[in-house]
Amino acid sequence: MIAGVVAVWAARRDRGEREEAERAAAAYLAAWERRDWGAMRSVVAEPPADLGERHEGVLTDLGIDRARFTPGSITLDGSHARVPFSARLHLSGLGDWSYRGELSLLQRGGDWLVEWSPAAIHPALTAGWTLRRSRSWPERAPILAEDGTPLS
C-alpha cells in the first residue's frame, strides 16, 4: 500500500515538474515572438546583460518581420530539461525560413529557468558568432548572338 502511494506521489510530482518546465520554455518562446526582452529575461537563469540586444540584433540583421516559435516535447532529467522548438521566421523580401532549435532548462530554487547560451537563438551559434543575411548573384553567362558573338 505504501509503495503504491509513493509511486502515485512521484508520478504526480514528475508531471508537475514537467508542466512547470514546459511553462518556462513556452514563456521564453512567447516573449521572443513579442520581442519582450524583459519577460524573456525573467525566465532565464543567468541572462547576459545584452540578452535583448542579441536577440533583436539577429532579428534585425536577418530582416525578420514575423517570428513564430513552437515548443516540442520536453525531456526531463532530474533538475535539468531539454525542450526542442521549431522556429518559423518571415524574412522580409525573401519569405519564410524554418529551423529547429533546443532550449536547455534547469531547476533553481524550485523554479524552472532557461539556461541561456547563443545556441538558444540558433543551434549553430556559439560565443562571438551571429547570423547575417546576404545576397549574392552568380556570374552570368554571356549573351550571344546566333553566330556566337557576344551581345553584351
Side-chain angles (χ1 to χ4, degrees):
M1 171 88 171
I2 292 177
V5 170
V6 169
V8 168
W9 175 81
R12 284 186 179 163
R13 188 195 78 221
D14 287 349
R15 186 174 61 231
E17 294 297 328
R18 177 178 301 280
E19 289 170 357
E20 288 297 317
E22 287 171 341
R23 271 196 281 278
Y28 177 90
L29 295 172
W32 193 357
E33 280 184 21
R34 295 187 317 269
R35 297 181 180 201
D36 184 347
W37 313 129
M40 180 184 274
R41 177 177 289 285
S42 72
V43 292
V44 173
E46 295 175 17
D50 61 349
L51 178 75
E53 290 86 358
R54 289 187 191 201
H55 283 268
E56 189 65 45
V58 168
L59 297 175
T60 299
D61 290 347
L62 295 178
I64 296 169
D65 53 18
R66 283 188 318 274
R68 185 91 171 134
F69 303 97
T70 307
S73 297
I74 190 170
T75 302
L76 197 60
D77 183 16
S79 62
H80 294 280
R82 295 200 164 300
V83 177
F85 68 89
S86 60
R88 185 178 177 122
L89 312 174
H90 185 267
L91 285 70
S92 61
L94 291 177
D96 288 344
W97 174 50
S98 298
Y99 67 89
R100 295 194 182 283
E102 184 176 82
L103 297 176
S104 295
L105 288 88
L106 60 88
Q107 193 176 35
R108 183 177 288 162
D111 294 325
W112 282 96
L113 301 167
V114 173
E115 193 170 21
W116 194 89
S117 76
I121 296 174
H122 187 278
L125 288 180
T126 58
W129 287 79
T130 188
L131 298 172
R132 297 262 187 241
R133 174 177 167 167
S134 66
R135 184 180 294 193
S136 60
W137 297 99
E139 187 176 321
R140 293 189 59 152
I143 300 173
L144 306 174
E146 188 176 340
D147 65 359
T149 58
L151 293 176
S152 60

